[in-house]
């Protein structure tokens, strides 16, 4: 498993390096940051509603997504896994402290996420930290790699 995660991180860095030698985009960093804030919120709102189309639009076809369990998913696997919460379940996610490192045709987005889930009256809370790598493709950004980690409680 550690080898898969190390390979995922290595591939992410290679993709960022390749993207950085491309022509810079016209959007200012402030414009990009606003887009990433709005898009990240929409992606995580879509998890509880089950709107996989939002994810399908943003993920690159060759995206590598490492979830909080260490499973490495393709775009197809991730999109297929997004379903509405079951009857008796409710919840949501709040994105906090989002930062963007705009590198021209690549960007690294880092943020914290607080998730809550109500399961038949019992509330579960989990905190995550996520890092996403994007590549500018024509007029839009596409996620090429992402890694989600659970933040342990004290």
């Amino acid at each position: 498993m550690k080898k898969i995660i190390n390979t995922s991180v290595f591939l992410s860095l290679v993709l960022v390096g390749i993207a950085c030698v491309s022509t810079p985009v016209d959007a200012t960093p402030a414009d990009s940051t606003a887009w990433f804030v709005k898009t990240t919120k929409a992606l995580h709102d879509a998890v509880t509603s089950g709107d996989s189309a939002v994810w399908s639009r943003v993920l690159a076809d060759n995206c590598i997504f490492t979830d909080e369990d260490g499973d490495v998913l393709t775009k197809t696997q991730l999109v297929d896994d997004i379903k509405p919460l079951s009857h008796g379940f409710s919840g949501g996610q709040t994105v906090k402290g989002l930062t963007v490192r705009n590198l021209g045709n690549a960007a690294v987005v880092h943020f914290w996420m607080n998730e809550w889930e109500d399961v038949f009256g019992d509330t579960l809370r989990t905190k995550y930290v996520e890092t996403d790598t994007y590549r500018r493709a024509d007029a839009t950004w596409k996620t090429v790699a992402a890694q989600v980690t659970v933040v342990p409680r004290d």
Side-chain angles (χ1 to χ4, degrees):
M1 183 57 73
K2 188 173 184 180
K3 184 174 179 144
I4 291 172
I5 292 172
N6 287 340
T7 302
S8 177
V9 170
F10 172 75
L11 289 173
S12 296
L13 293 173
V14 168
L15 289 170
V16 169
I18 290 168
C20 289
V21 298
S22 302
T23 307
V25 296
D26 294 333
T28 65
D31 292 342
S32 296
T33 299
W35 184 87
F36 287 115
V37 168
K38 179 180 175 185
T39 300
T40 301
K41 182 178 179 347
L43 287 168
H44 290 282
D45 287 347
V47 170
T48 53
S49 69
D51 186 2
S52 62
V54 175
W55 286 83
S56 188
R57 282 191 302 272
V58 176
L59 298 177
D61 289 339
N62 61 348
C63 180
I64 299 167
F65 187 95
T66 305
D67 71 12
E68 65 272 18
D69 295 321
D71 295 326
V72 179
L73 306 172
T74 65
K75 174 182 180 174
T76 301
Q77 290 168 319
L78 179 60
V79 170
D80 287 350
D81 280 350
I82 298 172
K83 307 274 190 262
L85 294 175
S86 299
H87 177 71
F89 290 67
S90 63
Q93 301 168 333
T94 305
V95 173
K96 303 277 187 186
L98 187 139
T99 60
V100 178
R101 301 290 187 266
N102 191 325
L103 307 169
N105 279 345
V108 178
V109 178
H110 179 269
F111 57 93
W112 301 90
M113 184 173 43
N114 294 320
E115 178 183 77
W116 69 95
E117 189 171 6
D118 185 75
V119 182
F120 298 107
D122 291 327
T123 302
L124 308 170
R125 297 185 184 282
T126 308
K127 186 173 188 174
Y128 300 93
V129 61
E130 184 169 341
T131 303
D132 301 337
T133 304
Y134 285 81
R135 179 180 59 83
R136 183 80 174 188
D138 299 320
T140 190
W141 292 97
K142 295 287 186 177
T143 307
V144 294
Q147 182 154 353
V148 180
T149 304
V150 173
V151 177
R153 295 183 193 176
D154 290 337

